Amino acid sequence: MGLALLGCMGALKELRCLLGLYFGVLLLLFATQITLGILISTQRIRLERKVQELVLETIQNYRMNPEATAAEESWDYAQFQLRCCGWHSPRDWFGVLSSNETEGPHVPCSCYNTSSTNDSTISHKIFFSQLGLLGPRARPRPSADLCVVPANEYTYSEGCARSLQKWLHNNLISIVGISLGVGLLELGFMTLSIFLCRNLDHVYNRLTRYR
């Protein structure tokens, strides 16, 4: 919005300095996007390894620090939206979570497939758990308030690494199209700003001649 305001002010007031600044910032953004695209393409394996390390670290440290739960809540939301559990599989959670109600391995409520069961107690518990992920974090949750469920046939069996690959594959055309559209818009606005700057030069030269 600030960049658009800068370009509008430069065009309306016919100020070359603002138009030049607008062009420079757009060019910098365009170059940054191209650089990021190249880095992601060439360093894909390293990037995947880094993301895997961050996710597994988040799982291992799940709710250990009640004051720092942003990463955990983000991962819960990712599992809920992608319909997956863990990075490789639900086994990533085994040994991390426990419950006083039942024995055996447990997973977060975000791993539970509510559409595959009619258990109203668990569905009610998961509903309010996921509803909290849609809003701002109100307060840190102690371990006793954790929403966990037993790892059974009703939990998602696929890891999020695979689900994320499927999502990217299914939406690849949309992602590329949006990226190209944004790039073309930036090129168009840069061309327009140069055109306006050159026209201002012509207008200034004509006014000088008339004088």
Side-chain angles (χ1 to χ4, degrees):
M1 291 177 61
L3 185 60
L5 180 61
L6 185 67
C8 288
M9 291 298 296
L12 292 174
K13 298 297 183 179
E14 297 182 350
L15 298 175
R16 291 186 58 194
C17 59
L18 289 183
L19 289 174
L21 183 60
Y22 176 74
F23 172 81
V25 175
L26 267 184
L27 181 61
L28 181 62
L29 286 175
F30 185 74
T32 303
Q33 291 166 359
I34 295 295
T35 304
L36 285 176
I38 294 174
L39 288 176
I40 291 174
S41 300
T42 57
Q43 304 293 326
R44 182 173 57 87
I45 296 178
R46 181 180 295 181
L47 181 62
E48 289 178 356
R49 189 182 301 116
K50 185 65 176 177
V51 172
Q52 175 181 317
E53 292 174 357
L54 290 174
V55 170
L56 293 178
E57 182 181 357
T58 299
I59 292 175
Q60 292 299 320
N61 298 327
Y62 192 78
R63 302 304 183 191
M64 285 188 177
N65 184 4
E67 298 296 332
T69 58
E72 289 88 345
E73 290 181 357
S74 298
W75 183 241
D76 275 333
Y77 185 74
Q79 290 186 142
F80 178 67
Q81 291 295 326
L82 294 174
R83 298 177 179 273
C84 57
C85 188
W87 180 249
H88 300 103
S89 70
R91 291 183 176 274
D92 293 335
W93 288 104
F94 292 2
V96 177
L97 299 176
S98 61
S99 174
N100 296 327
E101 300 176 359
T102 57
E103 297 180 353
H106 289 76
V107 295
C109 288
S110 56
C111 287
Y112 203 80
N113 186 1
T114 54
S115 61
S116 64
T117 179
N118 295 323
D119 192 332
S120 59
T121 303
I122 295 181
S123 298
H124 185 269
K125 179 180 180 181
I126 293 173
F127 173 77
F128 285 102
S129 164
Q130 300 305 326
L131 187 65
L133 296 178
L134 302 178
R137 179 162 51 96
R139 61 181 178 85
R141 291 186 299 179
S143 300
D145 294 337
L146 290 182
C147 181
V148 297
V149 292
N152 52 32
E153 66 272 16
Y154 299 122
T155 56
Y156 298 119
S157 58
E158 189 173 62
C160 291
R162 180 63 179 164
S163 296
L164 184 59
Q165 289 176 354
K166 287 182 179 179
W167 184 88
L168 290 174
H169 178 75
N170 294 334
N171 295 276
L172 182 61
I173 296 178
S174 300
I175 294 172
V176 172
I178 292 174
S179 300
L180 288 176
V182 171
L184 290 175
L185 278 175
E186 290 174 346
L187 286 175
F189 287 137
M190 284 191 288
T191 304
L192 182 61
S193 63
I194 293 177
F195 177 77
L196 289 174
C197 281
R198 294 190 63 181
N199 276 358
L200 288 178
D201 285 337
H202 290 312
V203 171
Y204 179 76
N205 291 334
R206 289 179 181 178
L207 289 176
T208 304
R209 290 177 185 176
Y210 289 141
R211 289 178 182 177

